[in-house]
Amino acid sequence: MQTETVALTREKETLLITLWAKAGESLLPDSLLKDRFAAEAAARIDYDFARLKVDRDLMIGLAMRAHVLDGWARDFLAEHSDAIVMHLGCGLDSRVFRIDPPAGVDWYDVDYPEVIALRRKLYPARDGCHLIGSSVTEPGWLGGVPQDRPAMIVAEGLLPYLPKEEVPLLLERLVRHCRGGEIIFDAYSALGLKLIALQPSVRVTGAELLWSLDDPTELQRQVPGLELATELTAYDPDGYDPAQIARMSWPARFAMQFFSLIPPLARIGLLLRYRF
Ligand SMILES: C[S@@+](CC[C@H](N)C(=O)[O-])C[C@H]1O[C@@H](n2cnc3c(N)ncnc32)[C@H](O)[C@@H]1O
């Protein structure tokens, strides 16, 4: 097996947290995500993953987040077989293989050039899947993306790393570019961002968290055309399967229960779906 060395730092290195978590969760006997692609890719990376301190609870939590976003994307593709998907800050996430979109869909994985170069080495090419090596905040990359088809835009674990003035600008550019569609992503409140920055896995990378969102309707005001469709608080039973939470350790479950009872803590992390 050919291995690849990686020299990613800061926000780029965080992709190894989510990859390792999804790979690890997929090897658990009761796996939710069953992401064998992540497990195969991680096995080929020459990197000391232990330094990221990804524990079982984080594996399950990140698998649950990815599973909800996969579900929303699948629902959209079931209704729009001619859609495009923009997967922003894709890192080494294997979403295109997990979802396995139908032939009429064009999929765009976008991340920094060095991340895309690594993706090319670790994952096979796939018809209809296009790789774009660019910062998402550079407007030029959108030039190659069709404008006249329904768009599903997924940004998992990306927006909190962008400078705060860049997020509404990016969303506005996307909304203006596309005929219509949905954009789905995770966001943290200002308090949530402070807590995530203390998380050992993120701290070790030196990544800075910059963008927070206390009120999801604020984005509707900042970005004309965006309309909030779904808002899930962390492990909300309306979107997350309680049986998955039951897989976590008792201290994690206790902390979640405690957080859910205290309003500012209950809303520190959100999964959001907007239509435009
Ligand atoms: C926490 S990782 C998430 C990766 C992937 N979405 C996942 O869930 O496994 C954050 C990703 O955002 C990417 N990223 C951060 N800032 C970016 C930017 N300005 N342009 C493109 N990608 C960016 C990083 O390179 C990294 O791949």
Side-chain angles (χ1 to χ4, degrees), residues 71-126:
W72 286 350
R74 280 196 181 99
D75 290 348
F76 187 85
L77 296 181
E79 282 181 25
H80 305 280
S81 57
D82 60 337
I84 59 160
V85 179
M86 289 185 238
H87 188 203
L88 309 184
C90 58
L92 291 177
D93 181 276
S94 73
R95 177 159 282 118
V96 70
F97 298 103
R98 289 199 303 271
I99 290 184
D100 191 19
V105 169
D106 276 291
W107 185 291
Y108 297 83
D109 274 329
V110 190
D111 208 302
Y112 287 114
E114 54 270 58
V115 173
I116 292 298
L118 186 58
R119 256 195 104 84
R120 285 188 199 281
K121 291 183 189 159
L122 291 169
Y123 290 112
R126 187 191 150 100

Side-chain angles (χ1 to χ4, degrees), residues 11 14-15 18 22 89-91 93 111-112 135-136 156-158 162:
E11 75 272 29
T14 64
L15 68 85
T18 45
K22 288 166 189 169
C90 58
D93 181 276
D111 208 302
Y112 287 114
S135 168
V136 294
E156 181 179 10
L158 167 70
L162 301 186

